[in-house]
Amino acid sequence: MRRIDVYDLLVGKGNYVDDITYMGKYAVFIRSPYSHARVININKEDAERRGALVLTGKDLVSRSVESGEREGASLTTPLMAINKALYVGQPVALVIANDPYEAMDLAELVQIDYEPLEGIGSIEKALQNKVIVFEDLKTNVVREQTFEFGKINRQGRHLELDLYWSRSSGNPIEPYGAIVIPTDDGLTIISNQQAGNVVSNEIQKALGVKVVHKNVRQGGSFGEKFSLVRYLTVLGFAALKFKVPIKWIETRTEHLMASNGSGPERKFKIHAYYSSDGRVNSLDIHIWEDIGASRDAGQPFKPLGFLTGPYKVGGIRYTGTLVATNKNPAGAFRGAGTPPHTWALERTMDAIADDLGISKAEVRKINAIDSFPYDTGFAYYDSGNPRGLLDLALSRNDIFALRNKNTGVGLALSTDPSTPSGSERVKIKVKNNKVVIGLGFGPEGQGNEHSAVVMASRLLGISPDDVTYEILDNTELPTSFGPGGSRMAIYTFGAVSGAVEELKARLRRKAEVILNDKVIDYRDGYFIGENGGKVRITSLEGEEVDFTYTLQGKYRFNAYPFACDLAVVRVEDGKIRPIKHVVYIDPGTPIDEDLVREQVIGGTAIGISLALYEHYVYDDNANLLTTSLADYGMPTAADLPEIEVNIVPTPSPSTPYGAKGIGEIPVGIAAAAVTNAIEDVIKRRINRVPVSLEDLFE
């Protein structure tokens, strides 16, 4: 079915933040050029004399607000540097002027004296504790926690792996953007903040005023735009202090330096204990997570939702050590910490296969979960058939026939936690002869609005042309969270289906009044009376239904998609080129198969790219060396292979319609399959991504 939510985008009418008609002031941030430095003095007199409004960290007053596991989106640490700058790009001052160019010119007149300090650019250096990021903590280990499920059985064979997953970022097409307007009783914010209706509550608490948040279309997010909340709070305070509307549009370099939304950087020490037939008995996993200039993070602990992946493992211990460095604080990037865990598990399975001299496929068959539901003590796997997906992949003789001395074929098997327990709220009404679905989040591109329209049209038995949607603000749908954690397939269906049933129940009574008859049926968009009269549902205006769907499972996550990937890479002229990628995925019952394929292709592309191309590079003192997309390694379409997606459903018994979330599972498994394919060619152990042939053959 054609996407009903992209026409405006295709004809240039996306109406992003920067497209909105605006009259007011413009802001730029002055950012630290140092990774670690004391802020000795800020002289803003010259800039103010020439008309600038200047806000510094010392001027800013806001309350600390807890935000759960949203990493770089936390409002618990200072929003701008006060006495010390902690990473390159950290905001030190905000300059406001009549247009963005004047603001940039006036910002150059603000004189800031720094005392440079030694920076921490690696986990290893941080653990030495010779330089401390947060001096009051007296250590760079800001949190450490161990979880154990089952019994660690050290009998049999043993191997130890040291692995490294590099720092990366979502880098959405559209960076952060906001318009902040002071009102008589607070603020109106127009922004591309992810989950704006819920996150605006945190801004209200931080600033102590009413906040109305207007959602607009986003040019991508996948977790990245959760972290905009820190900037919105600064801009909101400035708008209130100076009593002026403010517009701010982030630059690409700013986003690379200081988004507070980069993905996980993780070191692994894995001890695997297994029998001679390849069965894994126990895993002992210790990770060290570089969380940048942060005091906490959630990405290291999201893997608790699927610690053993798609495999049966008797005992597992998982220790997460959070390490502060002088880097851009980490945030929630597509998967929020699960892709590196998938990659590490698959590295472990490959190492076991090599040690025992059995095939990569065989070790996975031996250990794959083979009966459902499956309760691990940390997760309840609802349904699936990972062995079946593996068999389908292994049947692809056309793919394995591509293998030669320069071409390798890689295999990976995975699951991912989707659909965290929670709720989603929608409104639905009839207006202008259409059914209108009210959603409380800005469109991000995944097709959630399309899904809502498709669901409503099917449930009501009417054409999708008779259904539309509107985006509502936090005063209209204050508890709507929207995308996050691969949740929307389930929550959109649950909320829309509940709202549709409630709407039909209310309009049935109205139809009976119009027909002057008892309604005995509803069919194909019509209420049908006992005497044969009928009235079309889209003609019955005046009712609005507000419905919240809630799902609460035994553990945090409720649905588990499974996937098996085949990656084909060619190594020649000292370069690695991906040439084909095949995905077999179980999304539960797909609501729209084309939309599933789009999401899987996008996530797979990211996983391939993380394995081969993109990563942040810092020197030993945490100076950022990748300040452009070219330096960072963002691939183009020409750098990516053909991606084939095959949908193999096993409906979930835990969700309405049997759907599972699949937005995040493609990333880690694609990276794992590509890594395995490279090993297939070069016959060397790979223990870090992105893969560098130069480093491997040094």
Side-chain angles (χ1 to χ4, degrees), residues 627-669:
T627 56
S628 71
L629 290 182
D631 294 331
Y632 171 78
M634 182 67 73
T636 67
D639 297 313
L640 297 168
E642 175 194 354
I643 299 171
E644 173 193 321
V645 180
N646 302 280
I647 297 173
V648 188
T650 57
S652 171
S654 303
T655 68
Y657 197 65
K660 303 177 182 180
I662 49 84
E664 295 167 328
I665 185 175
V667 180
I669 187 171

Side-chain angles (χ1 to χ4, degrees), residues 177 225 241 251 273 288 330 422 446 461 548 625 650 662:
K225 285 174 179 162
K241 175 180 173 65
T251 68
Y273 303 93
W288 291 263
Q446 300 104 313
T548 299
L625 305 180
T650 57
I662 49 84

Side-chain angles (χ1 to χ4, degrees), residues 278-319:
R279 192 167 304 280
V280 179
N281 299 317
S282 301
L283 293 171
D284 192 345
I285 301 174
H286 192 152
I287 67 131
W288 291 263
E289 185 104 342
D290 182 337
I291 63 171
S294 302
R295 291 174 177 258
D296 203 356
Q299 291 187 99
F301 300 109
K302 190 179 177 187
L304 291 169
F306 77 130
L307 281 176
T308 57
Y311 305 114
K312 297 178 293 184
V313 177
I316 185 164
R317 178 185 295 129
Y318 183 83
T319 301

Side-chain angles (χ1 to χ4, degrees), residues 229-387:
V229 65
R230 291 177 60 83
Y231 287 106
L232 293 182
T233 306
V234 175
L235 295 166
F237 182 88
L240 292 169
K241 175 180 173 65
F242 298 118
K243 298 180 174 59
V244 295
I246 300 171
K247 180 176 181 179
W248 173 67
I249 302 295
E250 183 189 45
T251 68
R252 178 59 57 189
T253 299
E254 284 182 300
H255 193 83
L256 284 162
M257 289 194 305
S259 65
N260 289 200
S262 59
E265 180 176 358
R266 189 173 298 171
K267 283 184 59 178
F268 295 83
K269 171 78 74 174
I270 300 177
H271 292 273
Y273 303 93
Y274 51 98
S275 58
S276 57
D277 66 356
R279 192 167 304 280
V280 179
N281 299 317
S282 301
L283 293 171
D284 192 345
I285 301 174
H286 192 152
I287 67 131
W288 291 263
E289 185 104 342
D290 182 337
I291 63 171
S294 302
R295 291 174 177 258
D296 203 356
Q299 291 187 99
F301 300 109
K302 190 179 177 187
L304 291 169
F306 77 130
L307 281 176
T308 57
Y311 305 114
K312 297 178 293 184
V313 177
I316 185 164
R317 178 185 295 129
Y318 183 83
T319 301
T321 302
L322 279 57
V323 183
T325 64
N326 292 115
K327 295 178 183 175
N328 175 20
F333 165 40
R334 198 164 185 171
T338 60
H341 190 77
T342 289
W343 177 80
L345 286 175
E346 292 303 277
R347 295 281 72 221
T348 303
M349 301 307 288
D350 290 340
I352 292 171
D354 288 343
D355 180 59
L356 295 174
I358 61 177
S359 74
K360 306 292 195 298
E362 185 62 23
V363 76
R364 287 168 170 82
K365 278 189 176 181
I366 290 168
N367 290 285
I369 300 169
D370 54 4
S371 63
F372 291 86
Y374 183 73
D375 194 330
T376 66
F378 53 82
Y380 181 84
Y381 293 105
D382 50 329
S383 70
N385 185 9
R387 287 189 179 182

Side-chain angles (χ1 to χ4, degrees), residues 80-318:
M80 293 201 291
I82 301 176
N83 298 315
K84 195 166 77 161
L86 299 179
Y87 58 95
V88 172
Q90 183 177 14
V92 181
L94 182 72
V95 176
I96 303 159
N98 294 318
D99 65 59
Y101 306 103
E102 182 185 32
M104 285 187 280
D105 290 341
L106 292 173
E108 293 182 0
L109 301 179
V110 178
Q111 300 298 312
I112 304 177
D113 297 327
Y114 295 95
E115 177 192 334
L117 302 170
E118 184 179 354
I120 303 171
S122 67
I123 292 170
E124 293 81 2
K125 187 173 182 179
L127 292 175
Q128 294 172 6
N129 283 323
K130 293 179 180 178
V131 179
I132 303 295
V133 178
F134 299 103
E135 293 169 359
D136 60 308
L137 297 180
K138 299 181 174 57
T139 176
N140 291 315
V141 174
V142 300
R143 180 182 172 190
E144 183 169 276
Q145 198 164 355
T146 297
F147 303 85
E148 190 167 336
F149 300 93
K151 185 177 180 181
I152 300 297
N153 178 0
R154 293 181 174 82
Q155 293 181 340
R157 301 178 71 90
H158 165 251
L159 63 79
E160 178 181 324
L161 288 176
D162 292 293
L163 305 171
Y164 172 77
W165 178 278
S166 182
R167 195 181 205 83
S168 56
S169 176
N171 285 308
I173 293 173
E174 177 206 30
Y176 297 163
I179 296 170
V180 182
I181 304 166
T183 60
D184 291 340
D185 59 350
L187 290 168
T188 293
I189 298 176
I190 305 167
S191 85
N192 53 23
Q193 168 73 48
Q194 184 168 344
N197 283 12
V198 171
V199 171
S200 58
N201 295 328
E202 295 167 19
I203 303 173
Q204 290 185 149
K205 292 176 184 177
L207 299 180
V209 300
K210 178 184 176 182
V211 173
V212 177
H213 186 271
K214 303 287 187 181
N215 301 292
V216 294
R217 184 179 296 280
Q218 302 177 20
S221 177
F222 276 105
E224 191 87 357
K225 285 174 179 162
F226 276 130
S227 297
L228 174 57
V229 65
R230 291 177 60 83
Y231 287 106
L232 293 182
T233 306
V234 175
L235 295 166
F237 182 88
L240 292 169
K241 175 180 173 65
F242 298 118
K243 298 180 174 59
V244 295
I246 300 171
K247 180 176 181 179
W248 173 67
I249 302 295
E250 183 189 45
T251 68
R252 178 59 57 189
T253 299
E254 284 182 300
H255 193 83
L256 284 162
M257 289 194 305
S259 65
N260 289 200
S262 59
E265 180 176 358
R266 189 173 298 171
K267 283 184 59 178
F268 295 83
K269 171 78 74 174
I270 300 177
H271 292 273
Y273 303 93
Y274 51 98
S275 58
S276 57
D277 66 356
R279 192 167 304 280
V280 179
N281 299 317
S282 301
L283 293 171
D284 192 345
I285 301 174
H286 192 152
I287 67 131
W288 291 263
E289 185 104 342
D290 182 337
I291 63 171
S294 302
R295 291 174 177 258
D296 203 356
Q299 291 187 99
F301 300 109
K302 190 179 177 187
L304 291 169
F306 77 130
L307 281 176
T308 57
Y311 305 114
K312 297 178 293 184
V313 177
I316 185 164
R317 178 185 295 129
Y318 183 83

Side-chain angles (χ1 to χ4, degrees), residues 574-639:
K575 295 183 178 180
I576 305 167
R577 186 163 68 91
I579 59 174
K580 176 77 174 178
H581 203 101
V582 178
V583 180
Y584 287 92
I585 187 162
D586 164 22
T589 305
I591 293 165
D592 186 314
E593 290 196 1
D594 289 338
L595 208 58
V596 170
R597 288 190 175 90
E598 287 180 19
Q599 287 298 295
V600 172
I601 288 170
T604 300
I606 290 175
I608 295 168
S609 184
L610 296 179
L612 296 177
Y613 307 121
E614 57 183 289
H615 66 138
Y616 282 105
V617 180
Y618 291 85
D619 68 15
D620 191 51
N621 284 317
N623 294 302
L624 181 63
L625 305 180
T626 48
T627 56
S628 71
L629 290 182
D631 294 331
Y632 171 78
M634 182 67 73
T636 67
D639 297 313

